[in-house]
């Protein structure tokens, strides 16, 4: 007997799509679940290419993460890149678990989800990992896929 069943809209849509593909004779590929880790503003952007790239960034844009274990300032450094241009880093206050995932070979995705519109300190989202940032900077969301 099931005491409590929670079905999200996403789960229902996945089930409907899988059924539709099966009925139509298509091959159904098991979807991997994505787990959001956290959102952050890029650290060190003023010292790297963020100021150059920010006007070309928009929600949905994928960014690359590159481990820098030999970084002289932080052995857990994870750099953020767009089209080969280093934008900055995952903030030091949050990079240790991301570095560990990347070191284990797990895929971690980085995607721009919105831009900051910071008028006053009270507008800064509490869940945003703190770093130096400016209005218009991208907010990046890290997600990881479940291992099969």
């Amino acid at each position: 007997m099931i005491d409590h069943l929670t079905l999200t809209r996403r789960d229902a849509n996945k089930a409907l799509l899988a059924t539709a593909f099966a009925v139509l004779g298509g091959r159904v590929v098991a979807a991997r679940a994505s787990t959001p880790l956290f959102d952050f503003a890029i650290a060190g952007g003023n010292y790297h290419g963020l100021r150059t790239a920010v006007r070309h960034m928009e929600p949905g844009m994928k960014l690359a993460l590159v481990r820098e274990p030999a970084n002289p300032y932080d052995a857990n450094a994870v750099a953020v890149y767009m089209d080969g241009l280093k934008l900055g880093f995952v903030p030091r206050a949050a990079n240790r678990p991301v570095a560990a995932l990347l070191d284990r070979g797990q895929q971690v995705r980085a995607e721009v989800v919105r831009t900051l519109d910071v008028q006053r300190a009270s507008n800064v989202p509490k869940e945003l990992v703190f770093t130096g940032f400016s209005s218009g900077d991208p907010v990046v969301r890290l997600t990881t896929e479940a291992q099969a």
Side-chain angles (χ1 to χ4, degrees):
M1 181 173 162
I2 299 175
D3 293 327
H4 181 72
L5 177 65
T6 303
L7 183 65
T8 65
R9 183 180 298 167
R10 176 178 279 167
D11 292 333
N13 286 336
K14 283 182 186 177
L16 289 170
L17 285 171
T19 303
F21 279 119
V23 168
L24 296 173
R27 197 173 96 206
V28 178
V29 177
R32 290 184 166 194
S34 285
T35 304
L37 298 174
F38 57 85
D39 293 356
F40 68 94
I42 296 170
N46 291 329
Y47 304 102
H48 297 284
L50 183 60
R51 292 293 139 241
T52 302
V54 73
R55 65 180 169 268
H56 303 290
M57 300 175 81
E58 56 187 46
M61 181 173 282
K62 306 292 188 228
L63 303 174
L65 300 174
V66 177
R67 271 289 280 126
E68 290 188 0
N71 184 300
Y73 303 104
D74 185 358
N76 292 309
V78 178
V80 181
Y81 282 81
M82 180 183 88
D83 298 330
L85 175 67
K86 183 190 276 189
L87 304 176
F89 293 89
V90 173
R92 184 186 304 246
N95 68 5
R96 185 180 299 255
V98 179
L101 289 169
L102 292 172
D103 290 346
R104 286 196 308 259
Q106 185 154 357
Q107 188 172 28
V108 180
R109 297 180 190 269
E111 178 180 341
V112 176
V113 291
R114 65 183 183 280
T115 57
L116 286 173
D117 181 18
V118 181
Q119 303 301 321
R120 301 179 307 279
S122 63
N123 288 355
V124 177
K126 289 183 177 130
E127 71 276 6
L128 185 68
V129 174
F130 181 78
T131 183
F133 50 80
S134 302
S135 194
D137 279 1
V139 173
V140 179
R141 176 164 298 148
L142 295 181
T143 58
T144 183
E145 289 186 355
Q147 295 291 321

